[in-house]
């Protein structure tokens, strides 16, 4: 006989599939999720027993009070889409040209709605309070998490959880790791300012294109040659922009790119070296430079004792072979803003979907597909975590 909680999660997951497909067809970009948040609010109110709070214009928080004293815990789902055009042959497919859920946020939203519906039916078993955070603009640094924190959504919260779907693993597989999981991120813009000249007489100017090329080569040599290999970080120049002409050297060349780190020890040293390399080369070439390095998201680090409890709960209900330890990723995540305020755990759930040709489309691509078979596993995982983990943590 099936466990009653498992059976309830499987029942609710069928409805969650319809929610996910509806959300997928009507995607909205960060801080523009007005229809999405209205749909979320209407569902939460329909479940019964859940108070709804709108801390930001497109953010929604559902609050479920248990029948017994206990901790206040939160679970977050991000709700925004990306400015990507979806392959029109896919089903379901976005009805908004140039916008799609290409990172599984429709799945995150449907999963947390499903979890909220399950727990609303189990509130007699609940101790404490649960906050379901439907957060906008994860894809838009500085991100919607910072706005939620500023609005006070974590006031009185003892711990927080978050989950991201993971394309490489099959439905029913979970990835849990104490410590670093996603990198801290920086964006940089560099203006190299020289002196324009006719291409036939480069000696009469300051060649910004040649200098920019040397800067790119030098920047790519910093990490492998001056940063300890144990301190995982990456620097990538993603663009070189200037006025273009066959016979003119431009006055200014603009470089842009990203820096990502999984180890706080290299942060100050790496940023200092980046500035030093650029300034040194520009000085040598008698050029000027303007350097703008901006912090994006901080390192996402799961609290060890909470991550271990999450791993234990998932292994107990799904089997130890279905809970693996992932390699940290260089991607960024604004869930870090919550972990600055309260302890918590961020984990991943498999959603691999193989296309007829045997390929698997990556996230942030027009061919990305979510696997709806992931929903019953993830809804049960979130439900079990919220029911069991708080009591395991002193």
């Amino acid at each position: 006989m099936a466990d009653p909680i498992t059976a309830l999660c499987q029942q609710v997951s069928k409805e969650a599939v319809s929610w996910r497909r509806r959300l997928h067809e009507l995607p909205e970009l960060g801080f523009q999720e007005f229809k999405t948040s209205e749909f979320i609010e209407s569902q939460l109110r329909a479940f019964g027993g859940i108070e709804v709070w709108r801390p930001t214009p497109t953010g929604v928080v559902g609050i479920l009070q248990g029948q017994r004293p206990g901790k206040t815990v939160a679970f977050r789902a991000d709700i925004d889409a990306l400015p990507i055009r979806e392959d029109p042959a896919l089903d379901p497919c976005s009805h908004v040209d140039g916008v799609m859920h290409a990172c599984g946020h429709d799945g995150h939203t449907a999963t947390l709605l499903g979890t909220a519906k399950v727990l609303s039916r189990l509130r007699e078993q609940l101790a404490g309070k649960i906050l379901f955070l439907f957060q906008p603009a994860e894809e838009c640094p500085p991100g919607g998490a910072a706005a939620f924190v500023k609005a006070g959504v974590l006031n009185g919260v003892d711990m927080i959880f978050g989950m991201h779907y993971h394309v490489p693993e099959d439905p029913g597989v979970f990835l849990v790791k104490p410590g670093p999981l996603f990198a801290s991120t920086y964006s940089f813009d560099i203006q190299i300012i020289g002196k324009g000249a006719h291409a036939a007489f480069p000696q009469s100017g300051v060649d910004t294109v040649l200098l920019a090329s040397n800067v790119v080569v030098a920047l790519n040599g910093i990490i492998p040659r001056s940063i300890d290999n144990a301190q995982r970080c990456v620097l990538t120049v993603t663009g070189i922009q200037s006025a273009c002409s066959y016979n003119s050297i431009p006055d200014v060349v603009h470089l842009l790119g990203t820096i990502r780190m999984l180890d706080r020890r290299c942060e100050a040293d790496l940023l200092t070296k980046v500035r030093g390399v650029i300034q040194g080369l520009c000085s040598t070439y008698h050029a000027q430079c303007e350097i703008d390095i901006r912090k994006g998201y901080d390192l996402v680090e799961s609290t060890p004792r909470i991550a271990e409890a999450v791993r234990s709960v998932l292994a107990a209900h799904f089997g130890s072979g279905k809970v693996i330890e992932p390699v940290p990723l260089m991607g960024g995540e604004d869930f870090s803003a919550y972990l600055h305020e309260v302890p918590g755990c961020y984990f991943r759930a498999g959603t691999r979907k193989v296309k007829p040709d045997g390929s698997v489309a990556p996230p942030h691509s027009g061919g990305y597909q979510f696997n709806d078979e992931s929903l019953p596993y993830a809804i049960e995982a979130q439900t079990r975590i919220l029911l069991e983990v708080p009591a395991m943590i002193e």
Side-chain angles (χ1 to χ4, degrees):
M1 183 177 178
D3 178 283
I5 292 179
T6 300
L8 179 56
C9 291
Q10 291 175 345
Q11 176 188 341
V12 170
S13 70
K14 296 174 183 177
E15 191 173 7
V17 171
S18 66
W19 298 333
R20 206 281 301 179
R21 293 177 68 89
R22 173 173 174 168
L23 291 164
H24 189 86
E25 292 174 348
L26 299 173
E28 295 175 296
L29 297 175
F31 297 116
Q32 301 174 34
E33 311 96 332
F34 295 102
K35 292 180 181 178
T36 302
S37 58
E38 288 172 5
F39 175 75
I40 293 166
E41 179 176 356
S42 68
Q43 294 303 316
L44 290 173
R45 292 192 184 281
F47 297 160
I50 296 179
E51 178 186 348
V52 176
W53 173 32
R54 299 296 297 268
T56 65
T58 59
V60 186
V61 175
I63 305 168
L64 180 60
Q65 182 67 56
Q67 301 299 304
R68 294 176 287 114
K71 294 183 175 69
T72 297
V73 299
F75 210 116
R76 177 273 228 164
D78 38 15
I79 68 175
D80 55 322
L82 286 158
I84 294 173
R85 180 167 285 104
E86 186 165 19
D87 180 348
L90 298 181
D91 179 35
C93 188
S94 171
H95 294 178
V96 183
D97 186 43
V99 182
M100 74 171 285
H101 275 293
C103 199
H105 294 190
D106 50 343
H108 299 170
T109 304
T111 302
L112 192 58
L113 281 173
T115 303
K117 183 164 187 175
V118 169
L119 288 169
S120 71
R121 296 184 180 183
L122 299 175
R123 54 184 174 272
E124 296 80 10
Q125 302 180 29
L126 295 182
K129 183 190 296 182
I130 298 174
L131 275 63
F132 305 98
L133 311 184
F134 295 88
Q135 176 217 301
E138 185 275 327
E139 301 283 3
C140 305
F148 260 31
V149 171
K150 186 177 180 180
V153 297
L154 294 185
N155 292 349
V157 171
D158 296 299
M159 67 186 74
I160 188 167
F161 304 95
M163 188 201 78
H164 201 296
Y165 279 106
H166 188 62
V167 170
E169 300 295 338
D170 291 328
V173 174
F174 299 95
L175 301 92
V176 186
K177 180 186 179 299
L181 188 65
F182 285 92
S184 60
T185 66
Y186 289 82
S187 299
F188 62 79
D189 287 273
I190 304 162
Q191 300 285 348
I192 296 174
I193 306 163
K195 181 182 177 182
H198 195 292
F201 311 103
Q203 71 278 8
S204 64
V206 175
D207 191 339
T208 52
V209 174
L210 177 61
L211 175 52
S213 301
N214 279 282
V215 168
V216 171
V217 171
L219 288 177
N220 280 285
I222 292 175
I223 291 174
R225 287 295 177 265
S226 64
I227 300 295
D228 189 336
N229 289 336
Q231 299 176 10
R232 294 189 58 190
C233 47
V234 64
L235 183 154
T236 304
V237 178
T238 57
I240 304 175
Q241 301 171 343
S242 72
C244 292
S245 169
Y246 288 107
N247 60 1
S248 299
I249 295 170
D251 291 308
V252 179
V253 173
H254 174 208
L255 303 178
L256 62 155
T258 184
I259 303 169
R260 289 154 188 261
M261 290 169 268
L262 285 163
D263 193 324
R264 296 184 190 279
R265 293 176 296 170
C266 69
E267 189 166 15
D269 187 32
L270 178 55
L271 298 182
T272 298
K273 283 184 167 65
V274 167
R275 293 182 182 276
V277 162
I278 299 165
Q279 292 167 345
L281 281 169
C282 286
S283 176
T284 299
Y285 279 79
H286 305 291
Q288 297 178 318
C289 61
E290 297 175 358
I291 305 168
D292 180 21
I293 302 176
R294 302 177 303 281
K295 183 70 173 283
Y297 298 155
D298 204 356
L299 190 66
V300 174
E301 294 184 275
S302 290
T303 307
R305 69 185 188 279
I306 299 178
E308 292 294 353
V310 167
R311 180 155 50 193
S312 175
V313 167
L314 295 179
H317 292 288
F318 299 97
S320 58
K322 295 293 186 180
V323 184
I324 62 178
E325 181 161 316
V327 173
L329 298 179
M330 285 296 180
E333 236 293 348
D334 75 346
F335 194 78
S336 55
Y338 301 120
L339 294 174
H340 270 300
E341 305 297 322
V342 298
C345 176
Y346 195 72
F347 66 99
R348 285 177 268 165
T351 189
R352 175 181 172 87
K353 185 164 185 176
V354 180
K355 293 177 178 288
D357 63 2
S359 66
V360 177
H364 289 230
S365 74
Y368 170 80
Q369 284 186 288
F370 182 86
N371 191 336
D372 286 325
E373 293 179 9
S374 307
L375 290 169
Y377 297 106
I379 289 171
E380 182 173 357
Q382 293 185 1
T383 298
R384 300 286 187 181
I385 287 168
L386 289 168
L387 285 173
E388 299 177 32
V389 169
M392 300 168 65
I393 306 299
E394 295 296 331

